[in-house]
Amino acid sequence: MQRIVRGMSQTKMGNAVGVTFQQVQKYEKGVNRVGASRLQQIASVLKVPPDFFFDGASAKAVTNASMETTLTEGFISSRDGVALSKAFTKISDQKMRRSIVSLVEQIARG
């Protein structure tokens, strides 16, 4: 998510840390583990502390409330979620923003 927010391609990230874009894909999908030194490099490139990647990482029992939170976090960290959030925050008219939220809520209801 942080790479996408910064507008960085997988190729650019890979070049910055010395791996291929395919390796970046594998890291992001969780196919390959990220070693401590590589995690430090990635954090440096993204200008975040290494512990950024561990926030909320502890296992939790999934309840109805946390299920909704999990779904929301999954959407926000997706490409569409990031794009929608960026575009939405650029709308300065509060009435327009509220109208958009209302429209999306109506669409979601069916």
Side-chain angles (χ1 to χ4, degrees):
M1 176 179 82
Q2 190 66 22
R3 177 187 61 75
I4 294 168
V5 167
R6 294 208 176 267
M8 182 179 289
S9 69
Q10 289 177 332
T11 300
K12 188 172 179 181
M13 171 59 77
N15 290 339
V17 297
V19 299
T20 64
F21 80 90
Q22 292 97 334
Q23 185 62 40
V24 173
Q25 285 177 337
K26 290 176 182 179
Y27 288 154
E28 290 180 356
K29 291 180 180 178
V31 173
N32 288 1
R33 292 172 39 177
V34 180
S37 62
R38 181 78 66 214
L39 184 64
Q40 178 65 46
Q41 289 177 311
I42 293 168
S44 178
V45 169
L46 295 176
K47 297 177 176 47
V48 295
D51 66 346
F52 170 85
F53 301 106
F54 297 101
D55 289 346
S58 61
K60 299 176 187 172
V62 178
T63 63
N64 287 340
S66 67
M67 176 63 90
E68 185 173 328
T69 300
T70 301
L71 291 172
T72 301
E73 288 173 351
F75 173 71
I76 293 298
S77 64
S78 71
R79 188 174 301 275
D80 288 339
V82 170
L84 184 61
S85 296
K86 281 179 149 180
F88 188 79
T89 58
K90 291 179 183 176
I91 301 170
S92 59
D93 182 338
Q94 291 300 316
K95 187 175 179 183
M96 178 65 71
R97 287 172 70 138
R98 187 62 220 146
S99 294
I100 292 168
V101 170
S102 179
L103 173 65
V104 173
E105 287 173 343
Q106 288 175 19
I107 291 168
R109 279 185 286 235

